[in-house]
Amino acid sequence: MRVLVTGASGTIGSALARALAARGDTVIGLSRNPARAAARLPQLDWHRWDPPAAPPRQALAGCDAVVNLVGERIDQRLTAAAKERIRTSRIDATNALVDALAALPDGERPRALVSQSAVGYYGDRGDEELTERSAPGDDFLARVCVDWERAAQRAEGAGVRVCVLRTGLVLDRSSGLLGRLLPIFRLGLGGRVGSGRQWMPWIHLEDEVGLLLWALDHEVHGTVNATAPNPVRNGEFTRTLARTLRRPALFPVPRAALALVFGGELAAVLVASQRALPARALEEGYRFRWPDLDGALEHLVGRSPR
């Protein structure tokens, strides 16, 4: 296949791009800085894109599929300016991408769009089990996800198959949540966050990439929760990570401390509870390589990675 990947220089995008290239697919990447991106991933054909401007037509034309992973990071103080960047980088960029897809002639238009969303769609839901049929939340990030998904789904009007992945907390040893926690836990300074009772919908990076490939290859439509089938509470996550590293976890982080460092709105996001389950992926035959947290963390950070 010929696949265009937006956000191809990020953690998920670069892992997906390498997986596509390894199986013989042609991968086109879009970046604000193609030269820098090419130095990191020279196997891609890079084009410049500065969203929310329209992406270059020559990059899109003739592709079989597009994977849309672009988006400003969430883990920052949610000031008015940050919120605007978060919305623009997701919603406006996706609208520009879909408009460009729709403008292509039928013979040049990609057949599929796999677009990123997040479990933030559900908001803070306590112990409620959340599947793809669950209603959205009503906080800032939930509203962003609703509008982001709506922007991607517009491509169906141009005859493009659309699959939206609501991604959980992606575990990778060198980035994201786990990348930030590892130095702290290795020093024996880790601990639960807030009450520790909030559910964490995690997923191993290999399964995140696996679900993206599965969505591309198996004509999957609609929304899919990209989360492991066994979510855990924050307290269990903390204990499992500490045990895997053979370190204590004695220093809980109160919510008040999070609010002091990150601001109250981001603190609420960090302690939000989402017991999201990958109902559709399991129903439709995706087999998780890392369904349980113990195995996932042992593979990522244990002493005997498999």
Side-chain angles (χ1 to χ4, degrees):
M1 287 198 298
R2 183 177 175 87
V3 183
L4 182 141
V5 181
T6 75
S9 58
T11 297
I12 298 172
S14 59
L16 173 65
R18 290 188 181 98
L20 288 165
R23 70 182 198 176
D25 293 325
T26 299
V27 188
I28 298 92
L30 298 181
S31 174
R32 286 189 172 91
N33 190 330
R36 185 172 63 189
R40 182 182 178 194
L41 286 170
Q43 61 267 55
L44 272 63
D45 177 14
W46 288 98
H47 295 257
R48 180 177 177 80
W49 184 33
D50 194 5
R57 184 183 185 281
Q58 66 270 26
L60 286 169
C63 287
D64 297 293
V66 174
V67 180
N68 180 36
L69 303 174
V70 71
E72 171 91 3
R73 65 188 183 89
I74 297 295
D75 57 339
Q76 57 182 301
R77 278 185 175 266
L78 296 177
T79 63
K83 287 181 177 181
E84 184 60 27
R85 291 194 303 271
I86 288 167
R87 287 189 61 85
T88 298
S89 68
R90 286 164 172 75
I91 300 157
D92 294 356
T94 300
N95 275 321
L97 176 64
V98 169
D99 288 343
L101 290 176
L104 290 169
D106 287 347
E108 298 183 17
R109 187 180 303 133
R111 298 188 302 272
L113 169 63
V114 178
S115 194
Q116 186 76 285
S117 182
V119 293
Y121 174 94
Y122 301 111
D124 186 0
R125 303 289 277 271
D127 290 339
E128 180 183 355
E129 290 190 349
L130 302 168
T131 72
E132 294 85 354
R133 298 179 181 88
S134 300
D138 193 35
D139 58 20
F140 167 71
L141 292 180
R143 293 190 296 272
V144 168
C145 289
V146 168
D147 291 344
W148 191 11
E149 294 183 14
R150 185 179 296 121
Q153 288 158 353
R154 291 174 51 241
E156 293 177 347
V160 177
R161 173 177 66 87
V162 177
C163 178
V164 172
L165 264 62
R166 293 178 184 152
T167 294
L169 300 166
V170 178
L171 300 187
D172 173 60
R173 67 170 61 88
S174 58
S175 64
L177 173 71
L178 186 59
R180 291 185 177 216
L181 290 178
L182 280 176
I184 300 169
F185 274 71
R186 281 178 170 144
L187 290 171
L189 300 176
R192 60 174 170 78
V193 175
S195 70
R197 291 191 54 76
Q198 67 272 25
W199 289 93
M200 296 179 62
W202 64 276
I203 186 169
H204 192 300
L205 178 61
E206 287 186 3
D207 276 317
E208 172 71 13
V209 171
L211 281 167
L212 288 165
L213 295 173
W214 173 75
L216 283 173
D217 295 342
H218 289 84
E219 298 294 314
V220 183
H221 292 75
T223 54
V224 174
N225 283 344
T227 60
N230 296 301
V232 297
R233 296 185 190 273
N234 174 263
E236 182 180 348
F237 181 93
T238 298
R239 290 189 296 273
T240 304
L241 179 57
R243 183 172 65 248
T244 303
L245 295 171
R246 297 172 172 82
R247 294 289 188 273
L250 305 175
F251 297 91
V253 182
R255 180 168 175 168
L258 291 174
L260 185 64
V261 175
F262 299 112
E265 197 163 2
L266 181 57
V269 171
L270 294 173
V271 298
S273 181
Q274 289 138 356
R275 194 178 183 181
L277 303 173
R280 282 204 62 206
L282 294 172
E283 289 167 2
E284 298 186 26
Y286 180 79
R287 297 186 65 181
F288 283 85
R289 184 172 182 184
W290 305 105
D292 299 304
L293 184 65
D294 292 77
L297 288 179
E298 184 63 35
H299 173 254
L300 288 166
V301 302
R303 298 193 178 186
S304 301
R306 287 173 281 161

